[in-house]
Amino acid sequence: MKTLHTIAELREAVAAAGGAPAFVPTMGNLHEGHLALVRQARQQADAAGGGPVVASIFVNRLQFAPHEDFDSYPRTLQRDAELLQATGCDLLFAPNEAELYPEPQTFRLHPDPALADVLEGAFRPGFFGGVCTVVLKLFNAVQPRLAVFGKKDYQQLMVVRRMVSQLALPVQVLGGETARADDGLALSSRNGYLSAAERAEAPALARALRELAAQVQAGARDFKAQEARALAALRERGWAPDYVALRRQHDLAEPLGAPGEALVVLTAARLGRTRLIDNLELPPLR
């Protein structure tokens, strides 16, 4: 595996490897969830008859609010590179800020507010604009045939897919299933912020999603009341939830409850100083 730090080096290496890469963008501090996405990209590349697998590591300042953890976000490049090499990655693109943003990034994308200003976007204003801007810039640098994003960041996946569709980008966007610990906690680079006691409590977030999903599958259709009960139950356990929301899978709009409608339940909540997100897709309603 080659590690590259400039766009020029990256493009030369991609061309030498046969072009048409499969791409996995990350912010580093990798865990098994990231590595599963790289394996998915490797499988797709091999099935298509070749082409390199490219992963990127870049902590994107544009998607962090001033009070968030940009400066303290874990940066573990050497360890990450070793993990990627063992997982079948061919090229690692690890630019610094000056390489990716050589001048102030005054041109930015503003994604559809109906999709990007709800849920995460409501609690992290400007977040998805920062995501779309860096993803588009990375797509232009890597020029991938396909890109793999984790479903744990469900709304991000939806926003990127909408951006690719509306801008006619020649990139197939695939979703990778959420990787979980044995106790059900969704793997996240921020799980390392949890204390031992918080780590023991953290699986309650996934349990709350499963319980709400089970109610819906059993026929409950008072979605707002179900969301409110889930929020209250998390607060009783010491969480500070931002939202628990049932939404349609394809556009994250409020559900109608019609037969055949495929829903997803999404949540974000703080446990101590750590903000965790998770989601669970439901089968179509009957």
Side-chain angles (χ1 to χ4, degrees):
M1 185 185 76
K2 293 182 180 178
T3 299
L4 310 151
H5 299 285
T6 71
I7 293 173
E9 292 172 337
L10 171 68
R11 287 176 173 166
E12 182 178 352
V14 167
F23 179 42
V24 181
T26 83
M27 292 204 304
N29 193 30
L30 303 182
H31 52 67
E32 176 55 33
H34 296 109
L35 302 181
L37 302 181
V38 174
R39 285 191 286 270
Q40 185 174 344
R42 175 81 276 160
Q43 184 180 35
Q44 291 288 329
D46 292 345
V53 172
V54 179
S56 66
I57 292 176
F58 182 70
V59 183
N60 177 40
R61 186 185 297 271
L62 297 188
Q63 66 195 66
F64 286 79
H67 66 280
E68 293 182 332
D69 58 342
F70 174 79
D71 291 326
S72 62
Y73 194 87
R75 291 158 170 85
T76 55
L77 182 59
Q78 182 175 343
R79 170 186 168 275
D80 292 345
E82 292 169 358
L83 291 172
L84 287 170
Q85 182 165 358
T87 310
C89 183
D90 298 304
L91 302 172
L92 167 59
F93 181 44
N96 61 24
E97 267 197 300
E99 177 63 22
L100 213 56
Y101 300 128
E103 58 186 83
Q105 190 67 36
T106 54
F107 281 73
R108 300 193 188 189
L109 278 129
H110 297 280
D112 180 0
L115 182 62
D117 288 357
V118 300
L119 304 173
E120 282 299 283
F123 287 91
R124 303 181 69 187
F127 172 71
F128 288 115
V131 168
C132 286
T133 300
V134 76
V135 168
L136 181 60
K137 200 155 193 176
L138 289 168
F139 281 177
N140 286 334
V142 178
Q143 299 182 0
R145 175 178 57 83
L146 65 88
V148 188
F149 291 78
K151 284 188 178 182
K152 186 182 79 69
D153 297 288
Y154 200 90
Q155 188 175 3
Q156 174 176 276
L157 174 61
M158 298 295 104
V159 169
V160 170
R161 279 180 168 159
R162 184 78 60 83
M163 177 187 76
V164 165
S165 174
Q166 291 205 358
L167 297 182
L169 301 179
V171 183
Q172 180 185 9
V173 177
L174 303 179
E177 297 300 326
T178 300
R180 298 184 181 275
D182 290 343
D183 58 9
L185 177 65
L187 299 187
S188 168
S189 296
R190 291 186 169 94
N191 289 353
Y193 295 159
L194 297 168
S195 68
E198 290 166 348
R199 177 61 186 83
E201 167 61 22
L205 194 63
R207 289 199 300 272
L209 297 183
R210 292 197 299 270
E211 290 167 7
L212 200 161
Q215 295 167 14
V216 173
Q217 290 177 259
R221 293 294 182 268
D222 190 345
F223 298 139
K224 291 300 182 185
Q226 292 167 260
E227 293 168 354
R229 285 194 293 271
L231 285 166
L234 285 170
R235 291 190 184 104
E236 288 176 6
R237 298 185 65 94
W239 292 76
D242 286 338
Y243 58 84
V244 175
L246 280 157
R247 296 297 175 99
R248 299 192 307 213
Q249 288 182 21
H250 73 281
D251 62 1
L252 298 186
E254 300 273 355
L256 301 175
E261 200 171 34
L263 306 186
V264 57
V265 56
L266 309 102
T267 186
R270 290 191 181 275
L271 186 59
R273 68 186 184 96
T274 306
R275 187 175 187 271
L276 301 177
I277 66 172
D278 202 353
N279 66 82
L280 183 65
E281 291 180 317
L282 281 66
L285 297 180
R286 290 184 276 177

